Amino acid sequence: MDESFQPAEKAGIIYMLLASALFASMGYYVKILSQTLGTGEIAFFRNLIGLIIIVPTIIARPSGAKGGKPVMLVMRGIFGFLALFFYFYAITVLPLGTAATLTKIDPIFTALLAFFLLKEKQGPIIWAGLLTGFLGVIMLMRPEAGGLNAGSICALLSGLFAATAYTTVSNLRGYYSPRAIVASFAAAGVIGPPVVYALIYYTPLGNDALKGLFHRLPSGGYEWYCIIMVGLLATVSQYFLTKAYSLARASVAASVSYSGLFFASIAGIMAGDKVPDFMGICGIIFIALSGMAVHFSQKRRN
């Protein structure tokens, strides 16, 4: 089989680079907003703006896609919303580069689950990648850096839900247009925060810590500017990401997405995060190498 990059795949790589840069820029504004707003409000308005942008384009230019997978489309929206919600919370309590990096260890969990549950044999490259990834996590989550806390757990959960959402994109691309897939994600993100709010405030599940996810509505010109930028950047980056996975092989697109760790680290520093120390930089590099090794090894095996 020809392993060279075809024109469509080259376009997919460009789309992924753009998506990674824009998503990191979105993280910058989320970091700024998290100083005054809760995760719930930021997630709600991010998706509301996305829905306002994407729905008119679907109405004006129907894609003509055949559809036929409504349950999977809904699940993609739910998984995408959960990934975003956990990521936004992680950004509020962790450096942006650290939060972004911890969301990218999903290949480690995927390979381990395949080994223990599905009895799939993993080659030496995958095992070396897994070891490298674990070392990277240890470097990022060492005791003096805060250890395992709510933020790091949410970042890991975000990565797992994002991986599930990306898998559904590969299965949906023959049935729905990228715009429809992005719209399902935005719709879930508009419905999700009010549901979470109701569960926290009107059921026994609520407590003071969870109530901290919701502060108040945005006020003032600067907060609304940041909210609009979050919505615009996130919607465009989500569209580019969906296009990338539609055009390029999943292993290639996923590997290129690790460029987002560099972009996120720079955006975090611009938002006020400390410059990562030597151990933190090594942790980011190790996790990126781990993910790329696992992705390409699985691609070669398949």
Side-chain angles (χ1 to χ4, degrees), residues 62-75:
S63 67
K66 62 182 180 181
K69 296 283 185 178
V71 174
M72 186 176 292
L73 188 66
V74 170
M75 294 305 296

Side-chain angles (χ1 to χ4, degrees), residues 36-44 81 85 89 192-201 208-217:
T36 55
L37 299 182
T39 302
E41 292 96 6
I42 299 172
F44 173 80
F81 159 67
F85 196 89
Y89 177 77
V195 171
V196 174
Y197 181 89
L199 290 174
I200 291 174
Y201 278 89
D208 290 339
L210 291 177
K211 289 178 181 178
L213 294 173
F214 296 87
H215 292 175
R216 60 173 174 79
L217 293 177

Side-chain angles (χ1 to χ4, degrees), residues 9 29 33 121 134 167 169 201 229 234 240:
E9 188 155 63
Y29 286 103
L33 286 168
K121 293 183 178 180
F134 279 123
T167 301
V169 169
Y201 278 89
M229 290 304 297
F240 284 168

